[in-house]
Amino acid sequence: MLALNGEFHITDINCGDKSVTHRALILSAIAEGDSVINNASVCQDVLSTASCLRKLGAKITRRGTVFHISPIKTPHDNVTLYCGNSGTTARLLCGLVSGLGVTATFIGDRSLMRRPMGRVIEPLRKMGADITTDKDILFKVHPSTLVSSVIDTAVTSAQVKSALLLASLFTEKSTVTEKVETRHHTENMLRFLGADISVDGQSFTVGKSILKGSVIDVPNDISSVIYSIALALCKGQQETFHNVGIDSCRTGAIDVLRKAGADIRLENVETVCGERRSTIVVNPSVLKPMYCTAQNTADAIDEIPLLAVVSATIRGKHVFENVGELALKESNRIEGTMNIVRSMGQIAYVSDGNLIVESDGNVSSMVETHSNGDHRIAMCGTVAALIAGCGSVFGYKCVSVSCPHFYSMMGIQPKRFALIGKGISESKSPLLMSLLACHHGVCCTYDKVELPQDVTDERLLNILKSYDGLNVTMPFKQRVAQICGSGLSAVNTVCNGCATSTDGYGILSSLKLHGIDVKGKKLLVIGCGGAGITAVETLLSAGATVYVTNRTESKACRVREKYGLEKNYDRLDGVLSFVPPCKFSADVDVSGVDFVFTAEYKTHDCLLDKAAQKGIQSIDGLEMLYFQGCKSFEIWTGKQTDESCLTLFRSRI
């Protein structure tokens, strides 16, 4: 989770174009002689392409944003190519490998495995490629002889066109025609490296060629810079961005913004290494409703969600035509976009294949985004939250798929917090920290760090040092207490190497909220783990008489001995459980007690049910989580929180 407080500083930094870098790597890998790629994108997608090319036999090294490539001499056979999240890697290399005459199995991450590959497989088969599919792979390419062909692309896709152009290099001469013009990076790079290529309108003819290795200077990525451009427009700021690629099919978003009244100027236009680039100057502008034609959408398909975010700030009805392709991206970006617009307080829906945004121009004061692992949605959510002045992005880290420097470009410097533990995927702590951060105007991240139980102390210590503050949950509370030398039996909060526990504060605050003072009360604690031991210490310090029980009696004996507790009792005022719901806790006798408390809040608890049936006051652990989280946040930031955010937190669970 990334919480934003509206503070940012747009920075003009180098962010090499992802699309150009993919193609530069692929074509350099089959060129004659070595190549150097400067200002390369080093996002995860590009690194996936580089990794696959290495598996095929290319020698590729990287220092910073510079790649050095020695081409494939003899292609490696029977390889498995892991494409990560990158559709570009899978589709373009499908065309390349079809011509190399080797067997290669293509796989990807869960998101990529759901994306359509038939659009590239079918036209390649028409060229003679032998490609098979199976449920556990993207596809498998087998050795074949490609034949000269004339292919019309059925899908508007630069990736499909590029795959066919790459395959065409292994035929005598083939022609690829597209119905709707798409970005030109592949044909630009082919021409720059000396390929036999001719262009007639939207038809591209490529024959067998010897490509020449070269030094390739990559422009900055307009698909990354556009987020800063949009934010500058929405905030009325003047900004300048240098060396930005402006291929005519990559400036669709700028075209739409200009039609809406944006003062965006392209200066110092030049062509370097086959790619047009310029300085982009953004000036404060008064924007009117947007209309994005089908061609605009094709040219700006990745930026449509961002344009929708901008449109949410402009009073009026906005139309984005023919957006169906967005549903087939890394996530369903149509749904993701509409969710962001709605979080901004505006109306978004789809009609006849078009995305419609209706806005009154008044953006909500807090925007929340769930990226669903999609880098573009995470980036849009960030811009939306910065426009609103407050908000959160859940799943923010995926921006590294396309733009590792995205948050640096926005001048966002969050405090770094995290939760470490085992089995924490459903934890509500990130939601709580999001609410607290927005309430107090703190820019921070809060990560969930899942660790195996046998993680080494060295790794644990390195993780503790890498964050500004941490919450610790089972099974690491006692280990972290020892590693940090806290002198406590168990801890749940670490700040600057100092460890403490806020569980006790959470317990007492939760009970106090329900009118319960533990002083002088006889209380039974169920459980001898970290939270249970903290509860014993806290309740004793608050003046209670404490008894302990545990499914493993030997553990209970050790706790009684350590704290001088009696085993037997004649009556109880309350029962507090710090174990997951189980038969042991459910069987504890609660007859005659005034209240039953359980630290559990995510799972149905029979102990609470039994208490409720007897008319006994029953308290789950949600408020304990809230108050201990508030205290942790206070330790990290100095910001105090009472129960003012509790109602909102409850409503979100």
Side-chain angles (χ1 to χ4, degrees):
M1 179 277 299
L2 167 66
L4 297 154
N5 59 3
E7 295 179 3
F8 66 92
H9 178 72
I10 295 173
T11 305
D12 179 27
I13 65 173
N14 292 329
C15 53
D17 190 287
K18 182 177 71 161
S19 295
V20 175
T21 305
H22 276 299
R23 289 153 174 83
L25 280 168
I26 292 169
L27 292 175
S28 295
I30 57 172
E32 184 179 81
D34 293 352
S35 295
V36 176
I37 304 173
N38 295 315
N39 193 39
S41 168
V42 292
C43 66
Q44 290 177 6
D45 279 1
V46 164
L47 297 181
S48 292
T49 291
S51 175
C52 291
L53 291 171
R54 291 188 188 101
K55 293 288 289 289
L56 288 166
K59 294 181 180 179
I60 302 175
T61 59
R62 177 175 72 89
R63 180 169 294 177
T65 59
V66 179
F67 281 102
H68 293 264
I69 304 97
S70 294
I72 299 168
K73 291 185 170 60
T74 302
H76 295 170
D77 199 4
N78 292 312
V79 295
T80 297
L81 303 181
Y82 178 69
C83 303
N85 187 250
S86 178
T88 303
T89 302
R91 294 182 179 124
L92 267 62
L93 290 185
C94 184
L96 177 72
V97 175
S98 294
L100 288 178
V102 296
T103 299
T105 301
F106 287 72
I107 58 175
D109 69 7
R110 185 169 58 181
S111 171
L112 183 60
M113 294 293 282
R114 294 195 299 263
R115 296 182 66 185
M117 293 295 153
R119 57 181 54 188
V120 69
I121 292 172
E122 293 307 319
L124 284 170
R125 283 174 174 164
K126 292 179 182 178
M127 297 180 72
D130 183 0
I131 306 172
T132 57
T133 58
D134 191 73
K135 63 179 181 178
D136 296 324
I137 62 174
L138 284 167
F139 48 82
K140 187 171 185 176
V141 179
H142 306 271
S144 61
T145 300
L146 301 183
V147 297
S148 297
S149 306
V150 176
I151 303 289
D152 291 329
T153 58
V155 178
T156 301
S157 168
Q159 293 177 0
V160 172
K161 176 181 71 174
S162 297
L164 297 173
L165 292 178
L166 290 169
S168 298
L169 289 168
F170 299 91
T171 69
E172 287 302 318
K173 196 172 287 281
S174 292
T175 299
V176 179
T177 300
E178 58 182 355
K179 294 181 177 63
V180 178
E181 188 180 11
T182 63
R183 58 187 60 176
H184 310 101
H185 303 307
T186 302
E187 48 268 42
N188 290 345
M189 192 66 63
L190 283 168
R191 190 181 296 108
F192 176 69
L193 295 178
D196 176 11
I197 178 172
S198 60
V199 179
D200 182 10
Q202 288 165 213
S203 292
F204 312 89
T205 301
V206 175
K208 280 187 177 179
S209 306
I210 297 176
L211 307 181
K212 298 295 184 182
S214 184
V215 175
I216 302 170
D217 294 318
V218 177
N220 289 324
D221 196 335
I222 193 168
S223 292
S224 297
V225 174
I226 193 67
Y227 293 89
S228 296
I229 291 173
L231 183 59
L233 283 171
C234 291
K235 289 294 190 177
Q237 296 182 187
Q238 194 278 335
E239 299 288 348
T240 301
F241 307 94
H242 297 90
N243 190 37
V244 182
I246 54 166
D247 181 89
S248 60
C249 288
R250 296 290 298 281
T251 57
I254 288 179
D255 294 340
V256 174
L257 289 169
R258 279 175 157 175
K259 284 197 299 181
D263 184 355
I264 302 174
R265 303 177 187 182
L266 307 184
E267 301 178 351
N268 306 318
V269 177
E270 59 180 340
T271 299
V272 179
C273 299
E275 289 291 333
R276 292 180 74 238
R277 59 195 74 196
S278 79
T279 297
I280 298 180
V281 179
V282 182
N283 293 306
S285 310
V286 176
L287 301 181
K288 59 187 179 183
M290 293 185 196
Y291 191 93
C292 185
T293 67
Q295 181 64 60
N296 291 146
T297 297
D299 294 346
I301 189 65
D302 288 332
E303 291 77 46
I304 296 302
L306 177 65
L307 292 173
V309 167
V310 175
S311 75
T313 70
I314 306 166
R315 184 179 180 86
K317 182 177 180 179
H318 312 264
V319 179
F320 304 89
E321 290 187 345
N322 197 24
V323 297
E325 184 72 12
L326 284 173
L328 304 176
K329 294 288 186 175
E330 285 84 337
S331 69
N332 185 336
R333 287 184 182 163
I334 299 175
E335 290 294 330
T337 301
M338 290 193 297
N339 287 338
I340 296 175
V341 171
R342 290 164 183 164
S343 184
M344 296 174 77
Q346 309 306 324
I347 298 170
Y349 57 93
V350 174
S351 177
D352 296 327
N354 303 326
L355 173 64
I356 312 297
V357 174
E358 296 179 6
S359 174
D360 62 8
N362 298 313
V363 175
S364 301
S365 59
M366 178 179 173
V367 173
E368 183 176 292
T369 301
H370 295 261
S371 74
N372 296 317
D374 191 322
H375 53 114
R376 296 292 176 191
I377 297 301
M379 294 157 88
C380 286
T382 300
V383 172
L386 292 174
I387 292 170
C390 180
S392 299
V393 180
F394 290 84
Y396 72 98
K397 285 187 173 181
C398 60
V399 299
S400 61
V401 166
S402 64
C403 187
H405 305 300
F406 177 71
Y407 296 115
S408 297
M409 291 169 61
M410 295 293 183
I412 298 170
Q413 297 180 316
K415 292 283 188 181
R416 301 181 67 247
F417 307 135
L419 168 69
I420 62 173
K422 185 173 182 292
I424 57 176
S425 62
E426 300 301 317
S427 171
K428 302 303 180 185
S429 291
L431 172 60
L432 173 58
M433 294 305 171
S434 165
L435 297 176
L436 294 177
C438 290
H439 179 72
H440 291 291
V442 174
C443 181
C444 67
T445 60
Y446 190 87
D447 301 332
K448 288 186 289 190
V449 182
E450 182 87 28
L451 296 173
Q453 190 161 348
D454 60 355
V455 63
T456 64
D457 284 355
E458 181 181 13
R459 187 182 174 200
L460 260 180
L461 187 59
N462 286 337
I463 291 171
L464 297 178
K465 291 178 179 178
S466 65
Y467 285 93
D468 298 305
L470 285 122
N471 283 138
V472 183
T473 190
M474 296 301 294
F476 303 114
K477 289 187 172 186
Q478 291 162 305
R479 282 182 64 189
V480 171
Q482 294 171 351
I483 290 172
C484 293
S486 66
L488 300 174
S489 300
V491 299
N492 77 336
T493 302
V494 180
C495 182
N496 297 324
C498 297
T500 188
S501 179
T502 65
D503 280 342
Y505 176 82
I507 295 166
L508 294 181
S509 297
S510 177
L511 295 176
K512 181 180 178 182
L513 190 67
H514 290 271
I516 298 171
D517 182 357
V518 301
K519 185 175 182 180
K521 299 289 195 304
K522 292 184 176 183
L523 306 175
L524 175 66
V525 171
I526 306 173
C528 295
I533 291 173
T534 298
V536 169
E537 295 173 344
T538 300
L539 296 171
L540 287 172
S541 297
T545 300
V546 180
Y547 305 91
V548 173
T549 186
N550 193 66
R551 183 166 48 188
T552 305
E553 176 60 21
S554 59
K555 292 183 178 179
C557 286
R558 287 196 293 270
V559 173
R560 293 188 199 110
E561 182 177 349
K562 179 177 180 180
Y563 294 99
L565 308 180
E566 297 293 332
K567 178 179 180 180
N568 300 316
Y569 49 85
D570 54 356
R571 69 172 184 83
L572 293 170
D573 296 300
V575 174
L576 299 94
S577 175
F578 297 91
V579 297
C582 60
K583 187 176 184 304
F584 176 80
S585 62
D587 287 342
V588 170
D589 184 11
V590 297
S591 300
V593 305
D594 296 326
F595 73 91
V596 172
F597 170 94
T598 174
E600 184 60 50
Y601 64 91
K602 295 179 291 186
T603 307
H604 178 74
D605 195 324
C606 292
L607 178 64
L608 284 184
D609 286 347
K610 183 166 67 173
Q613 289 167 6
K614 292 177 179 290
I616 298 169
Q617 186 174 14
S618 305
I619 307 165
D620 68 19
L622 187 63
E623 289 146 353
M624 174 187 167
L625 172 69
Y626 173 80
F627 285 112
Q628 67 91 358
C630 290
K631 180 57 71 172
S632 294
F633 195 79
E634 179 184 341
I635 291 170
W636 299 333
T637 67
K639 307 289 186 180
Q640 294 183 351
T641 313
D642 54 21
E643 63 266 27
S644 56
C645 294
L646 180 56
T647 300
L648 179 58
F649 181 50
R650 271 204 199 100
S651 70
R652 299 292 305 283
I653 298 299

